[in-house]
């Protein structure tokens, strides 16, 4: 009889080595997979913004001007409170939704801290429009404030540079952007050139906080990208006109100095802000935080979106590493990097400043 041959098996050491090798390979593969997924999300986001731009251009072509934004319904002399996004719906393949709005009626009822959608439109305000959302944004698409549900928005239209020249931070008056309250800006007014003028950009949507406003310790802000807006009203007189306290004729440097002190402020607002001062909380609301932006801050600036009463100082912000997508007036979308100088960002957002700047 032949002797029995012993079966060879893996030793514990060999198994551990194999497991370790597999772990290293998985560790090397996951970042590549995540990077590929983010690349796909960024491309989808860019496409959404491009479609948004086509809707803007089609509106301008059909109406002979870009869509305006209404004055808020909570002013002493109230406006109707509709955002330009709401007016843009028929040109964004959302005519069925648009036909259910009545832009001759006020969008909201109630005072500043207790406003709610008009009952006839409440369910419409809660309708998610996929084209208005960036898939890289981790914030919820729906949020509640004052008992009402709102659908969010990532794509903000620029009311200009927000520069001190002309006090363009006050969009209740004409600015150097393509939109301000009750504006009728035409493409031909973009004298800086369509390929050199940013008319819209990404923003990071706000999330709900335990309380709203919520307090973060001095010098310890929430992590970036900020999912809250900074309550920057201190130092400013409400309006219109909106003005810097004790400085009737500030320069850009004076405003920069105020914003540079942002870490000393502790009050932040989120998606449940009763005064609708979160960022991108409701695409249908006319407040600056929900539908408007400017280029005073460069992309993904460490300075958060600085909300001042009904206006503010903003910049392109996103979840994409390294920068944010921006839409130019000729319809093309570009990725504006975090290294962009603030002066360049402001020049790109101005439609008629005569600046010779480019995103390249």
């Amino acid at each position: 009889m032949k002797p029995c041959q012993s079966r060879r098996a893996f030793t514990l050491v060999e198994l551990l080595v194999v497991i370790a090798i597999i772990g290293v390979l998985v560790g090397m593969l996951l970042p590549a997979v995540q990077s590929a997924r983010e690349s796909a999300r960024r491309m989808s986001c860019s496409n959404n913004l491009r479609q948004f731009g086509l809707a803007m251009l089609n509106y301008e072509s059909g109406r002979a001007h870009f869509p305006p934004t209404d004055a808020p319904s909570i002013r002493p002399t109230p406006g109707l409170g509709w955002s330009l996004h709401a007016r843009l719906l028929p040109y964004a393949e959302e005519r069925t939704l648009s036909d259910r709005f009545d832009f001759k009626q006020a969008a909201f009822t109630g005072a500043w801290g207790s406003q709610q959608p008009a009952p006839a439109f409440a369910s419409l305000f809660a309708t998610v429009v996929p084209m208005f959302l960036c898939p890289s944004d981790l914030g919820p698409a729906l949020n509640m404030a004052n008992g009402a549900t709102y659908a969010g928005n990532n794509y903000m239209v620029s009311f200009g540079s927000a520069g001190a020249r002309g006090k363009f931070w006050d969009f209740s008056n004409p600015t150097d952007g393509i939109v301000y309250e009750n504006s009728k800006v035409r493409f031909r007014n973009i004298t800086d050139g369509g390929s050199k003028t940013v008319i819209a950009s990404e923003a990071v949507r706000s999330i709900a906080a335990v309380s709203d406003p919520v307090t973060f310790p001095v010098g310890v802000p929430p992590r970036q990208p900020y999912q809250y807006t900074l309550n920057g009203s201190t130092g400013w007189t409400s309006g219109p006109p909106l003005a810097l306290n004790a400085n009737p004729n500030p320069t850009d440097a004076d405003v920069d100095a105020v914003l540079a002190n942002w870490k000393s402020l502790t009050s932040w607002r989120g998606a449940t802000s009763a005064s609708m001062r979160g960022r991108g909380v409701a695409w249908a609301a006319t407040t600056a935080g929900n539908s408007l932006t400017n280029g005073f801050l460069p992309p993904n600036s460490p300075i958060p979106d600085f909300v001042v009463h009904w206006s503010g100082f903003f910049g392109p912000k996103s979840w994409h590493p390294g920068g944010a997508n921006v839409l130019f007036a000729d319809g093309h979308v570009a990725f504006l990097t975090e290294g962009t100088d603030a002066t360049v960002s402001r020049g790109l957002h101005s439609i008629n400043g005569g600046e010779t700047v480019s995103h390249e």
Side-chain angles (χ1 to χ4, degrees):
M1 297 179 60
K2 292 183 180 180
C4 291
Q5 295 181 348
S6 61
R7 294 185 65 183
R8 174 154 179 84
F10 290 110
T11 66
L12 179 60
V13 173
E14 288 173 329
L15 285 173
L16 291 175
V17 169
V18 171
I19 292 171
I21 292 172
I22 293 173
V24 170
L25 291 175
V26 170
M28 295 173 61
L29 183 62
L30 279 179
V33 171
Q34 291 172 345
S35 178
R37 287 177 175 173
E38 168 52 26
S39 179
R41 288 192 294 264
R42 177 176 148 185
M43 185 177 297
S44 177
C45 178
S46 175
N47 184 61
N48 283 351
L49 188 55
R50 187 175 294 107
Q51 294 302 314
F52 184 82
L54 289 175
M56 293 278 291
L57 291 171
N58 286 336
Y59 186 106
E60 196 277 342
S61 178
R63 302 290 187 91
H65 61 80
F66 288 106
T69 191
D70 290 351
S73 57
I74 41 75
R75 290 270 181 82
T77 304
L80 296 178
W82 295 106
S83 73
L84 57 87
H85 292 62
R87 298 182 184 278
L88 198 62
L89 290 174
Y91 301 88
E93 300 182 356
E94 293 287 350
R95 180 170 291 278
T96 301
L97 177 59
S98 173
D99 287 346
R100 297 173 63 190
F101 285 111
D102 183 353
F103 297 114
K104 294 181 180 180
Q105 298 185 41
F108 289 90
T109 61
W112 182 257
S114 60
Q115 61 181 335
Q116 290 184 312
F121 313 126
S123 64
L124 307 182
F125 275 45
T127 303
V128 173
V129 179
M131 194 184 76
F132 293 162
L133 299 176
C134 172
S136 291
D137 196 320
L138 305 179
L142 293 172
N143 279 296
M144 291 192 67
N146 284 342
T149 302
Y150 299 99
N153 169 48
N154 281 106
Y155 304 122
M156 309 290 172
V157 178
S158 172
F159 63 92
S161 66
R165 178 177 62 87
K167 298 183 179 178
F168 290 136
W169 59 70
D170 186 348
F171 63 88
S172 65
N173 298 310
T175 68
D176 60 349
I178 68 157
V179 67
Y180 47 85
E181 289 180 10
N182 303 313
S183 61
K184 290 188 177 181
V185 176
R186 306 187 67 170
F187 193 93
R188 69 185 184 190
N189 299 131
I190 306 175
T191 57
D192 287 348
S195 64
K196 299 182 185 298
T197 302
V198 172
I199 62 172
S201 64
E202 290 185 80
V204 172
R205 298 196 307 272
S206 290
I207 59 174
V210 176
S211 61
D212 212 330
V214 61
T215 298
F216 289 92
V218 174
V220 188
R223 68 180 180 88
Q224 286 186 262
Y226 306 111
Q227 293 176 291
Y228 305 93
T229 59
L230 189 64
N231 181 3
S233 296
T234 301
W236 294 82
T237 57
S238 62
L242 181 68
L244 191 63
N245 288 348
N247 192 346
N249 295 298
T251 64
D252 279 4
D254 294 325
V255 179
D256 277 326
V258 173
L259 270 59
N261 194 42
W262 69 274
K263 286 187 178 180
S264 68
L265 303 179
T266 61
S267 178
W268 299 69
R269 292 188 172 101
T272 54
S273 170
S275 52
M276 299 293 288
R277 294 187 191 180
R279 197 74 169 124
V281 177
W283 57 259
T286 193
T287 55
N290 287 285
S291 56
L292 302 180
T293 192
N294 53 55
F296 199 81
L297 299 174
N300 288 354
S301 169
I303 299 176
D305 286 329
F306 207 96
V307 176
V308 178
H309 296 297
W310 78 97
S311 188
F313 296 89
F314 310 102
K317 285 186 170 64
S318 81
W319 285 88
H320 312 308
N325 289 313
V326 296
L327 170 70
F328 284 81
D330 64 353
H332 86 274
V333 173
F335 191 72
L336 209 59
T337 65
E338 294 173 358
T340 303
D341 183 77
T343 301
V344 172
S345 179
R346 294 165 195 175
L348 287 172
H349 285 74
S350 163
I351 68 171
N352 55 10
E355 307 93 346
T356 54
V357 295
S358 172
H359 69 282
E360 298 294 342

